[in-house]
Amino acid sequence: MPLLTTTKQYTNNALQNNPLHIALFPATGPEGQTQERNRLEYSFMLNSSLDIFEARMPSKTIGHDFGLLHALDERIALYGWLTNTGVKLVVVVDMEGRTAPSPEAAKIAILGLRNSDLTPAFQALQTAYIRLLRNPFYVPDDHDPRTNRNRGSMEITSPRYIKEVERIGKAWYPGITAI
Amino acid sequence: MASSKAARMGEEVWKTRTEKINLEVLTLTYGTLVSQLTHDLRDPATNIPDYAAINTELDRMGHSIGLRLIEDFLAKTSSAGPAPCNNFRETAEMIAKVGFKIFLNVTPRVENWDKEGRSFGLVFEEMPVSEFVELPDDGRAQEELWFLNLFCGVVKGALEMVQMQVKAEWVSDVLRGDDTTEMRVTLIRYIEDEMPPDDE
């Protein structure tokens, strides 16, 4: 069972990408035990994927979906989405298998992920972000390194948004049609 | 009886005689107004928003709006034949079912009258203006800022022009985590007609 592990949003300047929000979801083992993920490791992974957006931009056709950005190894793959305002959404998927709940279920093989599997997750994330933007007290400029003057943390602090991302991450599974 | 008549009048005026705009334009404009005030009205020493001053400013703006808005209200409702309200209860019905209906398309419930009939609560089931809003998470906005304070000013200003001095204030707001959104309106006195000073 692939797990949605990380999502990250960046502001739009290519030279000054700034993480808006990172959500990590713990790895789930065979007996349901969970293991926390290393924040730094995933932060590197996400940062390394940003150049791929820039590289693909010239040949990009219309649409938000960047599809598979980068398959890191047999387990980890990164998928991308770009909004009209240049905010990048990246989802990292861990393809580590889970013990099948029953012998029958084990016979149905899940062969990787299709590109469209992540579309609902990205759409839900984008909707959550739009909802955040509609709040008049959220000022996007305060979260942009070029315009922010007070040099504090520029991550999103809205509890409603963070909760929604948490919910999307937990609800998503391959083949879901809407979150 | 007066209540259903007021409701019908509100519906009628809203349908036929009100110019409408996209709701989100209004919602976002109002949100921006309050948000801008939190930027402008800051304590110079600590650089944190002065929410008491913001409430006062919203109230003042609303008051000026109300003074002029009553004119529009009377013009729009005149052909529907509004007799002057006979008592404060009728006034309350008019505010809730006609006033808020034609300008905001919401109809608050009139509740919680006090014993003397001089004070009532307007309970808003829905408030389109605060739909997208999340108050700033600085530990103070939730206790100190009344996001909708402009509307208190509007009610005060409008009633002042029809010889009623009232006190209007919010007592609860869902944005602060309360269960309801309620505005308390209290009649202070009827203003007697005062002749302008003789300028001969």
Side-chain angles (χ1 to χ4, degrees), chain A residues 48-61:
Chain A
S48 69
S49 71
L50 294 173
D51 286 343
I52 304 170
F53 278 98
E54 310 301 327
R56 284 204 202 154
M57 208 79 85
S59 59
K60 180 81 179 77
T61 51

Side-chain angles (χ1 to χ4, degrees), chain B residues 15-50:
Chain B
K15 268 193 194 135
T16 56
R17 246 165 305 177
T18 310
E19 277 180 51
K20 297 169 189 74
I21 60 163
N22 187 309
L23 176 67
E24 291 188 1
V25 174
L26 177 74
T27 307
L28 294 175
T29 312
Y30 185 71
T32 312
L33 170 76
V34 181
S35 162
Q36 188 63 48
L37 283 178
T38 62
H39 276 269
D40 294 349
L41 297 176
R42 278 169 187 270
D43 191 327
T46 54
N47 199 33
I48 46 176
D50 183 352

Side-chain angles (χ1 to χ4, degrees), chain A:
Chain A
M1 170 82 171
L3 287 166
L4 178 79
T5 62
T6 327
T7 71
K8 186 163 190 173
Q9 308 203 328
Y10 284 92
T11 45
N12 48 359
N13 190 319
L15 298 170
Q16 288 182 307
N17 279 302
N18 165 59
L20 287 174
H21 180 59
I22 304 177
L24 289 170
F25 298 90
T28 317
E31 267 83 47
Q33 77 271 34
T34 56
Q35 193 197 348
E36 288 303 319
R37 292 176 191 276
N38 183 340
R39 202 174 178 83
L40 186 63
E41 185 190 334
Y42 279 91
S43 191
F44 283 150
M45 217 182 273
L46 290 161
N47 281 313
S48 69
S49 71
L50 294 173
D51 286 343
I52 304 170
F53 278 98
E54 310 301 327
R56 284 204 202 154
M57 208 79 85
S59 59
K60 180 81 179 77
T61 51
I62 297 166
H64 299 291
D65 197 353
F66 272 69
L68 179 67
L69 294 175
H70 185 40
L72 209 67
D73 53 27
E74 302 82 37
R75 282 177 54 184
I76 308 283
L78 291 89
Y79 293 81
W81 187 273
L82 183 74
T83 71
N84 287 330
T85 47
V87 175
K88 296 166 186 128
L89 308 179
V90 180
V91 172
V92 184
V93 183
D94 185 346
M95 294 292 281
E96 171 98 314
R98 182 190 60 171
T99 319
S102 66
E104 289 78 46
K107 287 173 194 145
I108 309 160
I110 302 172
L111 289 171
L113 274 180
R114 275 164 302 157
N115 252 343
S116 58
D117 280 340
L118 278 157
T119 310
F122 279 125
Q123 278 166 344
L125 284 171
Q126 194 175 1
T127 309
Y129 185 65
I130 291 169
R131 217 181 138 152
L132 175 78
L133 286 179
R134 290 194 301 192
N135 175 13
F137 291 106
Y138 176 81
V139 183
D141 283 355
D142 287 351
H143 298 264
D144 189 328
R146 285 168 304 168
T147 45
N148 182 22
R149 272 162 290 156
N150 16 316
R151 299 272 156 228
S153 162
M154 285 179 276
E155 294 203 8
I156 293 167
T157 53
S158 154
R160 188 159 72 183
Y161 176 78
I162 292 168
K163 231 163 69 193
E164 177 67 3
V165 173
E166 196 73 22
R167 189 189 71 77
I168 294 165
K170 293 211 170 102
W172 180 83
Y173 59 85
I176 193 169
T177 48
I179 298 177

